[in-house]
Amino acid sequence: MLNIIYKFKYTIISILLLILSVIIIVNYANIETKIEVFLPGYKPGKPITEIDNPAVKNLVKMSLKFGDKTNISIIYKSDIPLNKPGSLAKLRLLQSKLEKMENVRTVISILNYPGSESYIFNDSIDIENIPDYLKTFISRDGHYALFLAIVEVNGQVEPIVRRITKDLKDEPVIVLSEASVNNKLFDELKRSMFFYPIVMFIVILLIFTYQTQCIRAAIISLFIPILASLYTYALYFFFGGYVNVLTAMVPSFLIIIGSAYPLHFYNATFRTEDARKQIGTPIFFSMLTTAIGFISFLFVKIPAFREFGVLVSLGLLIDFILTLTTVHELLNLSKFKSKRPPKTFGIRYFGNHVAMFILAIVIIAVAISPFIISKIKVGLTSTDYFSKKSDIVKGYEILEKEFGIRDSIYIVLEKKAGVFLPGDNKIIDKIINELSKSEYISSVDFPRNVPITVLVLASRTQPLLKHYIADGKTIRLTVNLTTPGSENLDKVSEIINNCLKEYNYDFYLAGTPFVWKAVNDSILLSQIQSLIAALSIVFLTILIVFRDFSEALKLVSPVIFATILNFVYMALFKMKLEISTALTSSIIIGLAIDYSIHIGHDYNKTKNIFTSVKNVGPAIIGNALGIIGGFLTLLFGGELALFKRIAILVSLGIATATVLTLTTLPFMLSFGNIREKVKSLRKRKEVRK
């Protein structure tokens, strides 16, 4: 009994740690879905007020001034045009239903907006003659109406919005708000933590079983990264971590990447008696360089990126330790249980002519890549999170198509001295008329048919007007942006600044779109920083290991080519550079460099490229197929387009790097030896002569 315990001591320890990890995760797990997690300075679980960012500060300042909690846009679809007699009956019922809901402070719509009663006849809307400021609440064709529900919140807003959405499920409406986005993200993050890892496990298990010809070895190869994921999450939650849209992907990444180490280990057991000694070094450096690809996110100011990089790197380290301990115990046993050696996939070196042909194509593609890459747009919006079938995306498409609105921002006007007076009405009219001329602005919303002094007095008793009036010295205008306006916030800000500079008001701009812009601005810088850091550190590591500058340059060439072509693929698929696509370059670098290390390590021993490709090629192909198959599972099910974009780009990047590693890299590694041999033969011939 003691002999068995000693023989499987690492396995027993792993199981005990698994039980402890599950207990910690169940008791300490937290999920965070807000967009603020991608802002520099964000602290998980801390209030937004602690973020040192102008866009956030202005949003908080405005919210406190106007007593904002959250605004919910509700798009109603009418079965008959709202300019038909009696068509407002159902609209009134919905308004009444909304106003009676718990936590709803007030509801603004075409039915109660100041001055709208002049355009309501026979319980219908005179759509042709309504002024521009009312067109915010009714679509051009009269089939859609927009309600703005202002919700009172004492705790978290997401549960309240989820309840309101549920209560309206039988109504022909779509509910839109940042909280709606957060709720949808929460649901998708739960899927990414449970559904995707299970599907990935099955897909990779089938691929590994075929390659290893041993179901036990395939299961063990996948069980190890699952253990590593649970250990990593346990540590993360124990020290107060929160899962966000990036860190939720850690188990998926570890299953896809970490399963490669046991796979290489198992394949090595058929080539040597001491697999741990034979394969331990290349697996270590594979882990190290992959971890470097992810740890490069430490150079990024966005906390979510840093946490993601640290967690994946930590998980890979744990996976490596488990491979040399627990896997050594279990896979050696599997070898003796297996009847057949692993599949080779017919892998061999296809010769120099094939390699040169592929290399020429890649060089041409890289040469023209700047012209293609320049077309990539930078940015992320709430709709970019989700696929086209999502209600969130459908709702914003209706806003854009039917109301001419893509996003809204606010102009907060403050009197430098005194309070707003009737004379200010003319100035506000001028401001609204001037801004409305811009192609970037769909409309500007502010009650204009009532003297502003009356509005200030009425706002003390009418909740609806509190949305526009904070006090006698502070008001705000809602600026509804067109799609070009949403994509050019700097230009919109410039137009507003130029318009208001001649008036005697203090003002500032606020709104969620500015927070998205702050995130997008940091993404581009983050991509550059992480990419340079990853390539530099990986190259230095390879240089230290192989101690030859020329050889190190050859070994990193497949990942450099694959990284450049990754941006080409991004442009060809018309993807933006945003949170998900910004990850892919460092991921590809970290993953694909493993293949170069295994080829280079074996070649330094055999000095025969045909033998090296035959030795490690099958495991590389098996691992690449596992990675591609694992990532492609993200294309199925769920509504998070972020994951789908990662799946496409990483799969293409790994496929590219694999082809280059097994063709052009052997050619480049052997090229120096071929030249030396040719010179040596020439010298011998000269000596004989």
Side-chain angles (χ1 to χ4, degrees):
M1 184 67 178
L2 291 175
N3 288 336
I4 294 175
I5 292 174
Y6 180 78
K7 185 176 181 180
F8 294 100
K9 56 184 178 296
Y10 295 121
T11 305
I12 294 170
I13 293 171
S14 298
I15 293 172
L16 293 175
L17 289 175
L18 170 62
I19 296 171
L20 178 62
S21 297
V22 170
I23 294 172
I24 292 173
I25 291 171
V26 169
N27 287 281
Y28 291 91
N30 293 296
I31 295 180
E32 178 65 89
T33 58
K34 292 182 174 63
I35 181 59
E36 289 85 5
V37 301
F38 298 110
L39 282 173
Y42 174 79
K43 298 176 182 177
K46 301 296 182 181
I48 191 175
T49 51
E50 294 191 14
I51 300 177
D52 186 17
N53 180 277
V56 175
K57 287 184 175 181
N58 282 347
L59 185 62
V60 171
K61 179 181 176 182
M62 180 186 71
S63 298
L64 292 174
K65 188 71 176 179
F66 287 84
D68 292 341
K69 293 300 180 182
T70 192
N71 297 332
I72 304 174
S73 297
I74 300 165
I75 303 172
Y76 171 83
K77 184 177 182 181
S78 176
D79 51 359
I80 58 173
L82 296 173
N83 59 351
K84 299 294 183 182
S87 60
L88 296 184
K90 292 182 179 180
L91 213 61
R92 294 185 191 281
L93 289 174
L94 179 58
Q95 174 114 1
S96 176
K97 183 176 182 178
L98 288 170
E99 290 174 338
K100 292 177 182 178
M101 286 183 176
E102 186 181 357
N103 298 104
V104 175
R105 187 173 70 183
T106 189
V107 179
I108 305 173
S109 74
I110 193 72
L111 299 173
N112 64 349
Y113 193 90
S116 63
E117 64 276 0
S118 302
Y119 302 93
I120 298 177
F121 305 98
N122 298 323
D123 212 25
S124 64
I125 303 291
D126 183 10
I127 295 176
E128 292 184 2
N129 297 308
I130 60 172
D132 289 341
Y133 63 84
L134 288 179
K135 292 178 181 177
T136 302
F137 299 98
I138 190 165
S139 66
R140 298 156 183 164
D141 63 2
H143 279 287
Y144 293 92
L146 184 65
F147 292 84
L148 182 65
I150 300 172
V151 179
E152 191 81 51
V153 182
N154 294 322
Q156 286 190 327
V157 65
E158 284 77 16
I160 295 171
V161 173
R162 189 182 288 276
R163 189 187 68 241
I164 291 172
T165 304
K166 183 179 180 180
D167 291 343
L168 293 173
K169 67 179 181 179
D170 295 327
E171 302 285 350
V173 300
I174 295 177
V175 179
L176 293 177
S177 69
E178 286 301 310
S180 302
V181 173
N182 291 338
N183 282 333
K184 180 64 71 173
L185 275 175
F186 181 86
D187 295 339
E188 292 300 317
L189 289 186
K190 288 194 297 184
R191 172 187 289 270
S192 70
M193 292 177 66
F194 300 104
F195 172 76
Y196 288 128
I198 292 172
V199 176
M200 287 176 179
F201 184 95
I202 295 171
V203 171
I204 299 174
L205 178 64
L206 293 173
I207 295 171
F208 280 15
T209 300
Y210 178 77
Q211 199 275 315
T212 61
Q213 298 291 289
C214 178
I215 183 68
R216 187 192 299 268
I219 291 174
I220 292 171
S221 295
L222 285 162
F223 179 67
I224 294 304
I226 291 175
L227 278 181
S229 300
L230 293 171
Y231 296 167
T232 301
Y233 266 152
L235 289 169
Y236 184 51
F237 290 139
F238 184 77
F239 289 102
Y242 282 68
V243 168
N244 56 52
V245 71
L246 289 184
T247 54
M249 299 172 68
V250 169
S252 298
F253 274 81
L254 290 180
I255 288 174
I256 294 170
I257 303 168
S259 57
Y261 306 154
L263 179 69
H264 280 290
F265 190 100
Y266 181 73
N267 278 268
T269 61
F270 286 84
R271 302 196 307 267
T272 178
E273 289 298 323
D274 191 350
R276 183 159 56 180
K277 182 178 180 181
Q278 174 73 17
I279 201 71
T281 299
I283 287 180
F284 171 76
F285 286 112
S286 294
M287 179 277 298
L288 181 62
T289 50
T290 302
I292 286 170
F294 287 96
I295 210 72
S296 65
F297 290 126
L298 283 176
F299 295 92
V300 176
K301 294 182 179 180
I302 302 175
F305 276 73
R306 292 203 299 265
E307 291 167 8
F308 174 75
V310 169
L311 289 181
V312 175
S313 300
L314 175 61
L316 291 175
L317 176 60
I318 294 172
D319 189 90
F320 168 73
I321 294 171
L322 290 172
T323 297
L324 296 189
T325 54
T326 306
V327 171
H328 178 67
E329 290 177 348
L330 298 177
L331 280 189
N332 271 326
L333 179 64
S334 297
K335 176 190 172 184
F336 298 118
K337 296 286 185 180
S338 177
K339 296 180 181 179
R340 292 177 292 180
K343 286 278 188 180
T344 65
F345 294 110
I347 294 300
R348 60 185 177 83
Y349 180 52
F350 291 98
N352 294 343
H353 292 296
V354 173
M356 287 189 290
F357 177 74
I358 293 174
L359 185 60
I361 292 175
V362 171
I363 291 173
I364 293 171
V366 169
I368 64 174
S369 64
F371 304 100
I372 302 174
I373 294 173
S374 62
K375 297 178 181 179
I376 297 175
K377 292 183 178 180
V378 179
L380 178 74
T381 66
S382 55
T383 56
D384 290 327
Y385 271 128
F386 307 105
S387 58
K388 291 183 179 180
K389 66 180 181 180
S390 169
D391 282 346
I392 301 290
V393 175
K394 290 178 181 177
Y396 278 106
E397 286 178 348
I398 292 172
L399 276 180
E400 185 176 341
K401 182 180 178 181
E402 304 296 340
F403 294 89
I405 301 171
R406 184 60 183 82
D407 280 311
S408 297
I409 60 173
Y410 300 97
I411 305 173
V412 179
L413 294 177
E414 299 175 324
K415 288 284 290 222
K416 292 182 178 179
V419 296
F420 281 95
L421 300 171
D424 289 299
N425 277 81
K426 292 183 179 180
I427 298 175
I428 293 171
D429 283 343
K430 287 182 180 178
I431 292 171
I432 292 174
N433 292 333
E434 183 66 26
L435 293 178
S436 298
K437 295 176 183 178
S438 172
E439 63 176 307
Y440 300 119
I441 297 173
S442 173
S443 60
V444 182
D445 176 26
F446 185 80
R448 301 166 62 186
N449 60 326
V450 180
I452 196 166
T453 49
V454 176
L455 289 175
V456 171
L457 292 172
S459 67
R460 298 173 183 174
T461 57
Q462 296 186 29
L464 181 151
L465 294 176
K466 292 183 182 294
H467 179 71
Y468 303 96
I469 312 290
D471 51 47
K473 299 181 65 174
T474 311
I475 66 172
R476 67 176 168 188
L477 314 180
T478 303
V479 180
N480 297 313
L481 304 177
T482 61
T483 300
S486 295
E487 296 174 350
N488 295 275
L489 275 180
D490 284 335
K491 187 65 177 178
V492 172
S493 300
E494 182 183 343
I495 291 170
I496 294 173
N497 289 331
N498 290 335
C499 176
L500 292 176
K501 66 182 180 181
E502 60 181 280
Y503 301 110
N504 193 32
Y505 298 129
D506 288 328
F507 71 94
Y508 61 89
L509 306 180
T512 304
F514 289 108
V515 178
W516 283 101
K517 183 181 182 303
V519 171
N520 292 331
D521 289 344
S522 64
I523 286 173
L524 179 59
L525 180 61
S526 300
Q527 171 73 99
I528 296 171
Q529 290 174 332
S530 63
L531 190 57
I532 293 174
L535 284 173
S536 300
I537 299 173
V538 164
F539 178 76
L540 288 174
T541 305
I542 297 295
L543 182 61
I544 292 170
V545 172
F546 289 90
R547 301 178 183 180
D548 185 292
F549 183 87
S550 175
E551 187 171 6
L553 192 60
K554 293 173 184 177
L555 289 171
V556 299
S557 62
V559 298
I560 293 175
F561 289 142
T563 302
I564 295 172
L565 292 176
N566 176 57
F567 290 99
V568 174
Y569 299 145
M570 202 183 299
L572 293 177
F573 282 96
K574 297 182 179 179
M575 296 180 184
K576 296 179 181 178
L577 178 60
E578 36 78 8
I579 292 168
S580 62
T581 54
L583 290 172
T584 56
S585 295
S586 294
I587 291 171
I588 291 168
I589 292 169
L591 293 177
I593 196 64
D594 291 6
Y595 307 153
S596 295
I597 289 173
H598 283 288
I599 288 286
H601 183 267
D602 197 87
Y603 179 70
N604 280 347
K605 290 185 175 182
T606 64
K607 296 301 179 182
N608 187 313
I609 204 59
F610 290 91
T611 302
S612 292
V613 172
K614 184 178 179 180
N615 283 344
V616 300
I620 289 174
I621 289 293
N623 175 238
L625 291 175
I627 290 174
I628 293 170
F631 273 107
L632 288 181
T633 61
L634 297 174
L635 295 176
F636 304 101
E639 298 180 13
L640 264 189
L642 289 175
F643 293 167
K644 299 181 191 301
R645 289 191 284 271
I646 288 177
I648 292 170
L649 291 178
V650 172
S651 297
L652 287 172
I654 292 301
T656 301
T658 302
V659 171
L660 294 175
T661 302
L662 296 177
T663 56
T664 62
L665 178 59
F667 168 70
M668 288 188 286
L669 287 174
S670 61
F671 186 70
N673 288 340
I674 292 171
R675 292 178 62 184
E676 290 298 324
K677 289 179 181 178
V678 170
K679 289 180 180 179
S680 178
L681 287 172
R682 287 177 179 174
K683 287 181 179 179
R684 289 179 184 177
K685 288 180 179 180
E686 289 176 359
V687 170
R688 289 176 183 175
K689 290 180 179 179

